[in-house]
Amino acid sequence: MAQSLMVSAASSVAAGSTEPCDRCGAAAKLALVLASGRQLTFCGHHANGYTETILATAESVFLEPGFEWRGAQVESDYIGAHRADAYAW
């Protein structure tokens, strides 16, 4: 299980992904799980471009190590309790 931080969506650092971005096919830097259970992956460009939507809709957010997602900065005031979530890259 990966450790994740509670923000509007739970955030976690995951091992390097081999998944492509669901929008453009570039290497994914962020993966998310929606309330429906659907999983999406985004490259850095699209992850940052969809920050507000991701924060509003994602149940869990997983970041590639070293990726500085704008959403983590937007929600930095709300980082608090830790929650474990599982996500397989």
Side-chain angles (χ1 to χ4, degrees):
M1 288 191 138
Q3 186 70 23
S4 59
L5 300 172
M6 181 66 79
V7 286
S8 281
S11 175
S12 174
V13 175
S17 171
T18 58
E19 296 289 322
C21 173
D22 287 329
R23 189 78 176 132
C24 70
K29 301 291 183 184
L30 176 145
L32 63 93
V33 179
L34 300 171
S36 66
R38 183 170 183 212
Q39 300 172 358
L40 298 171
T41 56
F42 293 111
C43 65
H45 169 79
H46 286 110
N48 284 321
Y50 296 133
T51 296
E52 291 78 16
T53 303
I54 292 169
L55 289 171
T57 61
E59 289 287 317
S60 299
V61 175
F62 301 87
L63 307 175
E64 181 176 288
F67 174 55
E68 294 191 26
W69 179 47
R70 191 175 72 179
Q73 297 167 357
V74 169
E75 291 294 315
S76 64
D77 293 339
Y78 299 102
I79 295 174
H82 294 283
R83 183 177 103 191
D85 288 297
Y87 182 83
W89 274 95

